[in-house]
């Protein structure tokens, strides 16, 4: 059961990883990467970092590979900065919630365009 400390550590890891990706990683494979969230294990020894990227296809895979290659560097910097008892192991995962939201919004707009009896039009 996550508590206040669990959430605080998750937020600290998210903020620090985002800072490291923006300022200290100079891999040309990285495009525009946004850290959207972190899911910590119950014992705070593992962190799943969710990232969102603007590009798609092979460029997205290259960016994810660059992040995975930088895991050791990021973990070492987390250990130096956060001063936790155990520095969490880092795993990166794609956050597709923004794309999913756009898809749902497009479906809603498509449905509204086909429905002649839309209650919002009658106002």
């Amino acid at each position: 059961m996550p508590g206040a400390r669990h959430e605080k550590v998750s937020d600290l890891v998210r903020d620090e990883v985002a800072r490291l990706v923006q300022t200290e990683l100079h891999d040309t494979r990285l495009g525009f990467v946004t850290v959207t969230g972190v899911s910590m294990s119950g014992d705070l020894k593992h962190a799943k970092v969710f990232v969102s990227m603007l590009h798609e296809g092979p460029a997205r895979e290259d960016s994810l590979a660059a992040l995975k290659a930088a895991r050791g560097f990021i973990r070492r910097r987390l250990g130096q900065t956060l001063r936790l008892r155990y520095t969490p192991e880092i795993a990166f995962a794609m956050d597709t919630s923004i794309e999913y939201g756009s898809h749902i919004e497009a479906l809603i707009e498509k449905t509204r365009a086909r429905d002649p009896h839309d209650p919002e039009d009658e106002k």
Side-chain angles (χ1 to χ4, degrees):
M1 178 171 13
R5 182 170 192 277
H6 189 269
E7 289 180 27
K8 185 176 180 180
V9 172
S10 293
D11 290 343
L12 287 172
V13 169
R14 184 195 67 228
D15 292 344
E16 185 62 19
V17 171
R19 186 190 69 77
L20 290 170
V21 167
Q22 289 177 0
T23 61
E24 295 192 26
L25 291 183
H26 303 295
D27 195 324
T28 56
R29 296 177 294 174
L30 284 175
F32 186 74
V33 176
T34 304
V35 177
T36 57
V38 173
S39 175
M40 300 289 296
S41 64
D43 59 1
L44 303 177
K45 290 184 180 181
H46 301 278
K48 188 178 226 179
V49 179
F50 293 97
V51 294
S52 176
M53 299 174 198
L54 286 179
H55 42 272
E56 295 179 1
R60 178 179 281 185
E61 296 302 321
D62 287 345
S63 293
L64 202 52
L67 288 172
K68 288 180 180 181
R71 284 187 307 188
F73 170 76
I74 292 171
R75 184 171 187 247
R76 182 170 40 94
R77 295 294 298 194
L78 282 176
Q80 293 169 347
T81 306
L82 298 184
R83 300 282 190 193
L84 297 170
R85 180 174 289 158
Y86 298 103
T87 304
E89 292 287 334
I90 304 293
F92 288 99
M94 287 299 303
D95 181 4
T96 57
S97 61
I98 295 171
E99 295 168 4
Y100 182 72
S102 294
H103 174 70
I104 296 298
E105 185 67 30
L107 291 175
I108 292 171
E109 290 301 319
K110 185 177 176 182
T111 303
R112 281 186 183 155
R114 286 192 298 181
D115 188 9
H117 303 293
D118 192 0
E120 287 186 10
D121 292 338
E122 296 175 5
K123 290 182 183 178

